[in-house]
Amino acid sequence: MEHVPPPAEELARLDRELAELDARRAQLLTRRAWLLAALRPPAPTAAPGWNPPAWGAPAAGRPGTPAQPWGYVPPKQASAPRSAQNVLLTLGGLLLTVAAVAFTLVSWGSMGIGGRSAVLAAVTVGALAAPAVLLRRGLTATAEALAALALVLTLLDAYAVHAVAVPDTDGLGFTAVAAAVLAALWTAYGLALGKLHLPLPAAVVLAQWPLLFGAWAAGAPALVVGWALLATAVLDGAIALWGKGTGARVTACVGGSVMAFSALMVGLTLSVTASGPLGALAPGALLLTAAAAALAGAWRAPRGFARAGGVVAGLATVAAVGGVPAVAVPENWGVLAYLAAGLALTAVVRTRLPRNAAIGVLVASAAVVAGALAGALPGFAAVLLGPVTLLSDVWAGSPGGFRSALDPTLPWTGLAAAPVVLAVSAGLLGAAYRWWPSLARIAAPLIAREEPGSGGGPAGAPGAGAPEAGGAVAPGASGAPHGTGAPWYAGGRAGTPWYAGGASAARRRPSGAALRGAAGAGAAVLGWGALLLAGAVLDVPYAVAVAGETILVAGLLALAVRGTGSGREGSAAVPVTALVAVPAGAVSAGLLSLASEGASYAVFGALAALFAGAAVRAGAGVPRAVFAVAATVGCTVLTGFAGRSLGLAPHEAAPLMLLVPALTVLFGARLRRNPAALPVELTGALGALVAVALAVPDAPFLALVLALCGVLAAGAAVRPERRPVAAYLAAALFVLATWVRLAASEVSFPEAYTLPVTVPALVAGFLRRRKDPEASSWTAYGPGLAATLLPSLAVAWTDPDWQRPLLLGVSALVITLLGARYRLQALLLLGGAVLALDGLHELAPYVVQVAGALPRWLPPALAGLLLLVVGATYEQRLRDARRLKDALGRMR
């Protein structure tokens, strides 16, 4: 008799065969294409001037050679003779250099003064003259090698002159003079032989040392050394801008960066450590000169270097201008001087400085402000997180001042200027947010200096203002993008990009609305931090601190609620920031209130009321859900306080904490499908979980709390949208409460209590199934069966007698057979699971004895054999599992 597989299995088999056929067809088509290419006659010779590879076509192969399949990689060609020649020449130059050094250091003493001079002079002149001859013959690599040798020889000549002619001369002074002479010599040599790449970079390297070594040799003070470093950096900048050859310019750029950085560090160190304002003037002059030099270089430098020069100039100016008043005020207030100087840099928007250099100066201003804020943020974090220490001693009594509730080890006197820094920054950002259009008009000249397409050059440069090649700007008011009446920086809505580059560059440029929103958000956070930190620095009374933090939370809530319903572009930054800051502020205020019982009730009550009101006033969505959840948490904490005030033990206060979860169930029934209903109910469920955790030490109270939680879950299950989860949760909680109560009463025969529940439950399930045959067996029979089977199984595992396991196994077998007969999933799975566990309990001692008698190698061998069998029949086992799954799925 032919076996006919089920339709699903046959369909899967057909799909696999069709896929294999498609794969085989694709393979054959690929092979056919390759064979056709191999049999195709060679292409005719191209006409003169015709170059198919230049147009992207494949190059024709040699006549008679078939085309290679895709992925063919031709063999690598042999190394070019020029590469081998360069290697040989490089090695030869190195060997000659080593020989010259060895001769100078080892064999020098065996010759007289005349011989020494003659040898060095002859070899040096020969090494210097040979590259010119070699360049005329086209031997560039050989000329470069000999030029390197000549450089080393000139250094040896300088050493020889010092060792023989002027041995008593100061080494640093002679080195400075020698470096200057050699730098000039090699500059002239490199300019004369323009094809050599080594002499000019070598001259730039030598030019770094004359002024520095000269200052050291003269015993100059640190300020003079700083001027020497700055002069060297200026020379390097001039070479980088107007020098000849890429190597020389790159070397000068690197050397100038190192020298300029060293000069700035010298000036900054002297400015910070000055004894008074007059002592800070001289290093300030050095720093201002460095700033002027950086701006002069930025005026002609490319885009990236111009911005870097602007940053250096801005930072140097701040260090110079702010350093004079900074040394005249107490140490902790010096940051305000630098902050004022950094803020003054924003006036660059009204100057004629090129756009990229001006942007660099503005970046320096932002960096100074960010550095000042970074110094103030640790104090803000300490105020915000400091009340965590009160968790270890709740309601110990009101401290005398704000600092007593925080970390007393912090240097609060050193943070005196931090609130001022935060307040000034918040005020400036708030002013920018309030008068953004005016600020945009002030900054308009800076933005207009470089039109899109100019490539980063200064205003008036060729191509400035040209989107493509014509230089025309799309129409729009005030230079706005096409299709809008306001420029992007004024906060208007972006329209069609105003240049031909498409939307990608428009995405790179932030909109004015986003910048304005960021300013408003920063103002809100920094203002909040300034007020908090000011209270700690002034050490206000504890009651004032608690009230102040609560009022600040109310202010942040007002910002969050006010912006919830606003539809203006960019207006979401402020309310979103306030929405993120509100929970942190509420947690800090709540922790701070834990020192006093009255303050705890007042603060958490006020927070709960504020969040509840905000949830009512806020628009639908995430803000309302956040506020509702916060209000629920506040009410839950208040119920915990009530239990502590009544003198209740934690397990005795657990039922009281279920008051808020009960209200959330009622609240969810009221809201129905409101988006805030589910977060509130989940928060109430977490409160119930806390109550269960508090009741764990006392079993009777734990059973009571579990039963009450089951009642709440059953109440939530009345609603259709919560029934799939809440119904099962209620049943599990009721059963668990029953088990806990029986265990607490030390009941050894739980069936006397569970069977009176199981029988009515099974009867009710049977009637339900008769009325609705499609009802699930889990709903009809699952709770009733679990009420007896699971407690009996738990007791049976610890029962030394045989009667209960036998009766339980027989009952589970009967239930399993009934489930298989009437195709009821709950009966089959529950009965089968209980039967298997009961049988395992009875057979466990014998299994242990057998396992102890078997050789140690046999269990692993059996496990490996089992795995082999399963792997060999994997497809069949998979089909069996699918059939079992389908059979269980068809059951009710």
Side-chain angles (χ1 to χ4, degrees):
M1 182 175 181
E2 184 179 356
H3 170 66
V4 179
E9 181 180 351
E10 186 176 1
L11 178 61
R13 184 182 302 171
L14 291 177
D15 289 341
R16 287 195 298 270
E17 293 179 356
L18 288 174
E20 293 174 358
L21 289 175
D22 290 341
R24 181 60 179 166
R25 185 174 186 274
Q27 182 181 2
L28 293 177
L29 287 175
T30 303
R31 182 63 180 173
R32 180 178 182 275
W34 187 86
L35 291 174
L36 287 176
L39 296 175
R40 187 178 296 121
T45 305
W50 178 255
N51 187 13
W55 295 89
R62 294 191 301 272
T65 302
Q68 299 296 338
W70 182 84
Y72 172 76
V73 179
K76 295 183 179 180
Q77 300 294 329
S79 300
R82 181 70 63 182
S83 300
Q85 180 186 13
N86 291 337
V87 172
L88 294 175
L89 291 173
T90 302
L91 292 176
L94 290 176
L95 292 176
L96 287 176
T97 302
V98 171
V101 173
F103 170 77
T104 304
L105 297 178
V106 178
S107 301
W108 188 261
S110 61
M111 300 180 63
I113 185 65
R116 299 172 188 174
S117 302
V119 170
L120 269 180
V123 174
T124 303
V125 171
L128 290 173
V133 179
L134 294 173
L135 286 176
R136 285 196 297 268
R137 298 192 177 187
L139 301 176
T140 306
T142 309
E144 291 283 358
L146 288 180
L149 176 62
L151 172 63
V152 176
L153 289 175
T154 54
L155 295 176
L156 295 176
D157 287 338
Y159 168 75
V161 169
H162 179 265
V164 176
V166 285
D168 298 331
T169 307
D170 179 61
L172 285 176
F174 182 84
T175 303
V177 174
V181 172
L182 290 178
L185 172 65
W186 278 94
T187 301
Y189 187 75
L191 292 176
L193 302 178
K195 292 184 180 181
L196 293 179
H197 299 290
L198 183 62
L200 290 179
V204 173
V205 173
L206 290 174
Q208 307 302 308
W209 311 114
L211 292 178
L212 179 61
F213 286 165
W216 282 351
L223 184 61
V224 176
V225 174
W227 281 104
L229 291 170
L230 179 59
T232 306
V234 171
L235 176 62
D236 288 331
I239 296 174
L241 288 175
W242 297 291
K244 180 181 178 182
T246 303
R249 298 175 71 176
V250 171
T251 306
C253 186
V254 175
S257 300
V258 175
M259 293 296 174
F261 179 78
S262 302
L264 290 174
M265 289 298 101
V266 170
L268 180 61
T269 303
L270 294 176
S271 176
V272 171
T273 58
S275 58
L278 294 179
L281 289 177
L286 174 63
L287 293 171
L288 284 178
T289 306
L295 283 183
W299 203 284
R300 298 289 303 270
R303 178 175 184 176
F305 290 97
R307 294 188 177 183
V311 172
V312 172
L315 294 177
T317 302
V318 170
V321 176
V324 176
V327 297
V329 298
E331 181 181 359
N332 301 324
W333 294 89
V335 64
L336 295 179
Y338 293 107
L339 179 62
L343 293 175
L345 292 179
T346 55
V348 74
V349 298
R350 306 298 292 175
T351 64
R352 301 293 298 172
L353 198 65
R355 182 171 183 265
N356 288 314
I359 288 176
V361 174
L362 291 178
V363 171
S365 176
V368 172
V369 176
L373 291 176
L377 288 180
F380 174 41
V383 174
L384 200 62
L385 303 176
V388 174
T389 57
L390 297 176
L391 286 173
S392 60
D393 198 4
V394 177
W395 294 357
S398 300
F402 193 6
R403 294 183 192 172
S404 301
L406 305 174
D407 188 359
T409 61
L410 282 177
W412 293 107
T413 56
L415 297 173
V420 182
V421 172
L422 294 177
V424 170
S425 303
L428 292 174
L429 290 176
Y433 179 77
R434 174 64 180 83
W435 293 288
W436 184 263
S438 301
L439 183 64
R441 284 193 297 271
I442 294 174
L446 172 63
I447 301 170
R449 288 176 207 167
E450 179 191 26
E451 294 295 336
S454 66
E468 285 291 342
V473 180
S478 303
H482 178 72
T484 179
W488 68 270
Y489 49 82
R493 186 178 297 276
T496 304
W498 64 328
Y499 51 91
S504 60
R507 286 192 298 267
R508 292 193 296 268
R509 172 172 286 174
S511 68
L515 294 176
R516 181 180 185 182
V525 174
L526 294 179
W528 171 45
L531 293 175
L532 281 180
L533 193 52
V537 170
L538 297 175
D539 197 17
V540 298
Y542 173 74
V544 175
V546 172
E549 286 210 27
T550 307
I551 293 173
L552 288 177
V553 173
L556 292 173
L557 268 176
L559 281 179
V561 173
R562 182 180 179 183
T564 301
S566 178
R568 294 179 300 171
E569 183 184 0
S571 61
V574 175
V576 168
T577 304
L579 183 65
V580 174
V582 159
V587 171
S588 179
L591 292 174
L592 185 63
S593 68
L594 294 179
S596 171
E597 181 177 1
S600 300
Y601 278 107
V603 169
F604 279 95
L607 291 177
L610 288 172
F611 281 117
V616 174
R617 294 293 302 276
V622 174
R624 172 173 288 181
V626 171
F627 298 150
V629 167
T632 305
V633 172
C635 293
T636 304
V637 175
L638 286 174
T639 56
F641 288 162
R644 184 182 178 91
S645 297
L646 294 174
L648 300 177
H651 64 273
E652 294 174 340
L656 183 62
M657 293 197 66
L658 294 178
L659 178 61
V660 173
L663 293 176
T664 60
V665 172
L666 297 176
F667 186 71
R670 172 68 176 170
L671 292 180
R672 289 289 177 180
R673 297 188 182 276
N674 191 292
L678 181 59
V680 169
E681 292 182 77
L682 291 177
T683 307
L686 290 178
L689 188 61
V690 172
V692 171
L694 292 176
V696 166
D698 191 273
F701 270 93
L702 178 59
L704 175 61
V705 171
L706 290 173
L708 293 176
C709 291
V711 172
L712 297 179
V718 174
R719 298 159 52 194
E721 66 272 14
R722 301 286 185 260
R723 187 171 299 155
V725 176
Y728 291 109
L729 180 60
L733 288 172
F734 282 135
V735 173
L736 187 58
T738 303
W739 297 347
V740 173
R741 180 67 260 185
L742 294 175
S745 301
E746 298 182 356
V747 174
S748 57
F749 295 97
E751 293 81 7
Y753 298 90
T754 58
L755 283 176
V757 177
T758 296
V759 173
L762 293 178
V763 172
F766 177 75
L767 296 177
R768 168 75 184 278
R769 289 275 299 172
R770 288 189 61 183
K771 184 179 179 180
D772 183 14
E774 296 299 323
S776 173
S777 61
W778 290 100
T779 304
Y781 303 120
L785 292 174
T788 294
L789 290 178
L790 298 182
S792 298
L793 178 63
V795 176
W797 270 71
T798 59
D799 192 349
D801 297 327
W802 57 272
Q803 292 88 353
R804 177 179 279 110
L806 177 60
L807 294 175
L808 180 62
V810 171
S811 302
L813 177 60
V814 171
I815 293 171
T816 304
L817 295 176
L818 289 175
R821 171 66 179 82
Y822 295 102
R823 306 180 66 80
L824 298 176
Q825 192 179 96
L827 275 67
L828 181 63
L829 294 182
L830 272 176
V834 172
L835 180 61
L837 292 175
D838 186 64
L840 179 62
H841 171 264
E842 295 302 310
L843 294 176
Y846 305 103
V847 173
V848 171
Q849 292 179 3
V850 172
L854 292 176
R856 295 294 181 89
W857 57 267
L858 190 57
L862 294 176
L865 182 61
L866 177 62
L867 291 177
L868 289 176
V869 172
V870 172
T873 59
Y874 177 74
E875 294 291 338
Q876 182 62 36
R877 301 288 79 78
L878 193 60
R879 286 192 292 269
D880 295 341
R882 287 171 180 165
R883 281 197 293 269
L884 178 60
K885 177 184 175 183
D886 294 339
L888 289 175
R890 288 191 293 269
M891 292 183 178
R892 296 304 303 170

